Amino acid sequence: MATKPPEGDPVQDAPQVEGVQHAAAGLQAIGHTLRIAQRQMGMRRTAQTLLKVNQKDGFDCPGCAWPEGDKRHVAEFCENGAKAVAEEATLRRVTPAFFAAHPLADLASRSGYWLGQQGRITEPVYLAEGADRYEAVTWERAFAIIAEELRALASPDEALFYTSGRTSNEAAFLLQLFAREFGTNNLPDCSNMCHESSGSALTETLGVGKGSVSLEDLHRADLIIVAGQNPGTNHPRMLSALEKAKHSGARIISVNPLPEAGLEKFRNPQTPQGLLKGTSLTDLFLQIRIGGDQALFRLLNRLVLETPGAVDEDFVREHTHGYEEFAAAARAADWDETLAATGLDRAEIERALGMVLASKRTIVCWAMGLTQHKHAVPTIREVVNFLLLRGNIGRPGAGVCPVRGHSNVQGDRTMGIFERPAPAFLDALEREFGFAPPRHHGLDVVRSIRALRDGEAKVFFAMGGNFVGATPDTEVTEAAMRRARLTVHVSTKLNRSHAVTGARALVLPTLGRTDRDEQKSGRQFVTVEDSMGMVHASRGNLPPASPHLLSEPAIVARMARAVLGPESATPWEEFEKDYATVRDRIARVVPGFEDFNARIAHPGGFTLPHAPRDERRFPTATGKANFTAAPVEYPELPEGRLLLQTLRSHDQYNTTIYGLDDRYRGIKGGRRVVLVNAADAGELGLADGSYADLVSEWTDGVERRARGFRVVHYPTARGCAAAYYPETNVLVPLDATADTSNTPASKSVVVRLEQSPAD
Ligand SMILES: Nc1nc2c(c(=O)[nH]1)N[C@H]1C(S)=C(S)[C@@H](COP(=O)(O)OP(=O)(O)OC[C@H]3O[C@@H](n4cnc5c(=O)[nH]c(N)nc54)[C@H](O)[C@@H]3O)O[C@H]1N2
Ligand SMILES: Nc1nc2c(c(=O)[nH]1)N[C@H]1C(S)=C(S)[C@@H](COP(=O)(O)OP(=O)(O)OC[C@H]3O[C@@H](n4cnc5c(=O)[nH]c(N)nc54)[C@H](O)[C@@H]3O)O[C@H]1N2
Ligand SMILES: [Mo]
């Protein structure tokens, strides 16, 4: 990626540093929200839209997957949700005239921020082979092009169908149905880069790859451990739940290499009291080294085992398997090794233990700080061991809480967006639709990139997202994508992936969450599943951004008709006309969705069953909850190197950049910053405010470099550094992935910092 935006690109990255903040939300957040919203939408539309966010008759916030409680506020959104809405409901437009004025080479030279700021795409556009720019194309022609390329493939497995987690249940179900009827399980999704490690660990140990707690449980917990998550920025509404828990007496431990403002103090904008004084959230901050979490939980497990009466022996006996082997491994946990791996001191761990032992109901919440490491899966398994030991699964106020990212990423997986579908799911599809779905596994994100790189995949179709922006090893990935015959992106807005294309390319504009969706049978709604397994309806209320847009379900249905032709017995036309007919099929294929249409009519929706939570039943291979005993791992750092995590600023949604500030961390006006502990910076001779290149070191010896980052002395854990994604994806090697889940290890990249020559 270019270091500096080209001449004429108004985005100038010039980071300034102000004081770090120690509280989240508050009045400043409200002001910031309204400014951003008005800039994109104007005053009237701002009010009209924001008041419908997360209401029972409104649309699901396209921000994060945090659930809504049963009692809703008039304003049930947060600062960052409002930014996500404003970004989509913007009045700015990208028309065919825009594409005429901006050839592909121009688009490819722009920053992702600039591309996103151009507004909503209004018409389908096509880049013909050898052409230098996109041109308007009819929908019929677009689907004919897709059909032509897909039919020309030697095998259906040469096609890839990617999904980003904003896609509704209905569209996701249709997409996987189409892919499987076409003949492939190549359904990579953003989850492969996100909570795949959680899914892998939880499925194996508890039998269900999802979280086991509800909002109610959080409110009732005695102890909540928030590890590897920055809710103040990424799940701001979670702060209200933590606040409520605190007011009922809960204690909170946060485990993080960075002191994150949202976890320190929350100024609840919903109450005058909150705005004035705020609530301190964290009782104990464990400033852990990147990747030290497995070691920490392992030692805590040993200490629990050594405390008489601390283990819930009835639970262990009745409901678990593998205890002896696990206990032997845990007893071997070593204090010195743990202190080295975590960077914590003994007193801190003892304090944590005291809080653990004092709690009858413990919840562990986590996000990308645990999932994006080589040893992410054993780390999360160790968290499960920790909870099992004291019977903290299937008890009110206790459980596992992987906090999901995209607003429907969990639902997409439930709908069958998965490259390794369960045989039972395929059986159900076969029964319902009468074709034989492919049984061999498909490709995940990393394997899809390799397949493109090696010429084994030729058509790439994306239902949303920004594949080349979000995936690792940017240069490798972009070169791989350019080898494709055809790339197709169903999108609301422009992004980098539209500028890095195959020989032919299509951009197909679609309705977003906020847009009204009219089909032949009338006004439609779609459904989503939140982080806690609640399914509910989402209805847009704005006139669509352009009359030429099709909904995601309509795009899949029409593509399917064009590709599969009259031989397909699937009623694609009916599905497009009336989404209730899609839900009828989901009801018969996906467990937990029985009577879907009737139950979704209930305001607020319904909760999916979760055997471990509801009845302490564990649908694993052993029929019990499984303790596991993996060797303890933590990253090793050669002399003079730092361990870099790539994370989000307060002004972005993944690769969508809202602005250049990271208010809570005190960064303004730029994103090319690297946060380094002052003591490490001192040893490395890196002055605060100097500029450095980040050079990643990986076993393949290839030099991966991100140029020109401003060094910011920052109170992160020793040996660690932090910089924003996606600018730093160029540093993450394609092959550096988590064991088992294959998730890119984008939170532990070994780097050296080289003083920029200009400095
Ligand atoms: N506004 C906004 N909301 C979002 C998103 C967004 O980009 N913007 N993205 C959405 C998506 S898809 C997702 S997945 C979630 C992401 O939500 P988060 O996981 O909160 O996102 P990150 O910014 O990646 O933050 C990772 C956190 O883990 C910490 N961390 C890093 N390494 C370690 C470690 O080894 N151990 C521990 N204990 N902590 C560590 C970091 O310091 C940071 O606080 O948010 C969702 N919500
Ligand atoms: N280095 C590094 N890399 C990471 C991460 C990290 O922490 N560090 N995090 C990873 C994670 S957790 C995730 S989830 C992935 C995210 O990967 P993706 O989900 O692929 O990326 P996004 O940036 O969320 O996608 C944004 C694009 O989605 C499109 N879009 C928005 N709304 C809609 C809609 O309603 N319909 C359609 N069809 N399109 C829409 C817009 O065109 C927008 O540009 O990135 C991963 N990559
Ligand atoms: Mo994510």
Side-chain angles (χ1 to χ4, degrees), residues 51-102:
L51 293 177
K52 286 285 181 195
V53 182
N54 294 334
Q55 298 301 325
K56 289 176 181 171
D57 64 343
F59 60 90
D60 181 59
C61 180
C64 70
W66 191 255
E68 293 80 42
D70 209 38
K71 259 179 56 202
R72 313 260 163 112
H73 289 276
V74 181
E76 189 66 49
F77 57 89
C78 66
E79 175 189 349
N80 280 347
K83 290 184 205 163
V85 169
E87 193 70 24
E88 182 178 299
T90 179
L91 292 166
R92 302 174 190 169
R93 296 290 178 268
V94 169
T95 62
F98 171 92
F99 289 104
H102 296 279

Side-chain angles (χ1 to χ4, degrees), residues 162 164 166 406 466 470 490 493 495 552 646 654-655 725 729:
Y162 174 70
S164 163
R166 231 182 246 194
H406 268 298
N466 177 4
V490 179
K493 306 195 59 179
N495 63 47
E552 292 182 347
T646 59
N654 299 337
T655 68
Y725 126 79
N729 286 37

Side-chain angles (χ1 to χ4, degrees), residues 55-56 58-60 525-528 535-539 600 604-605:
Q55 298 301 325
K56 289 176 181 171
F59 60 90
D60 181 59
F525 65 87
V526 292
T527 61
V528 293
V535 180
H536 59 91
S538 174
R539 290 178 183 81
I600 204 67

Side-chain angles (χ1 to χ4, degrees), residues 2 63 70 97 104 143 148 223-224 238-239 264 267 310 348 471-472 513 647 658 673 709 732:
D70 209 38
L104 194 67
F143 294 124
E148 187 184 311
L223 175 65
I224 302 171
M238 178 175 170
L239 300 185
E264 291 182 62
R267 294 192 197 279
E348 290 172 314
T471 50
R513 286 278 170 80
L647 80 180
Y658 303 139
V673 290
F709 281 68
V732 185

Side-chain angles (χ1 to χ4, degrees), residues 88 162 164-167 190-191 193-194 368 372 406 463-467 470-471 490-495 498 510-513 552 646-648 653-656 725-726 728-729 732 746-747:
E88 182 178 299
Y162 174 70
S164 163
R166 231 182 246 194
T167 296
C190 67
S191 194
M193 300 180 267
C194 185
M368 298 305 100
Q372 299 175 333
H406 268 298
M463 183 52 90
N466 177 4
F467 191 85
T471 50
V490 179
S491 291
T492 48
K493 306 195 59 179
L494 275 185
N495 63 47
H498 308 137
T510 190
L511 297 176
R513 286 278 170 80
E552 292 182 347
T646 59
L647 80 180
R648 292 154 173 82
Y653 193 90
N654 299 337
T655 68
T656 299
Y725 126 79
T728 46
N729 286 37
V732 185
S746 41
K747 292 285 188 282

Side-chain angles (χ1 to χ4, degrees), residues 230 234 255-256 260 291 293 368 373 645 648 652 654 747:
N230 178 21
N234 298 313
V255 187
N256 203 307
E260 302 284 29
D293 304 82
M368 298 305 100
H373 299 286
Q645 60 152 323
R648 292 154 173 82
Q652 73 183 86
N654 299 337
K747 292 285 188 282

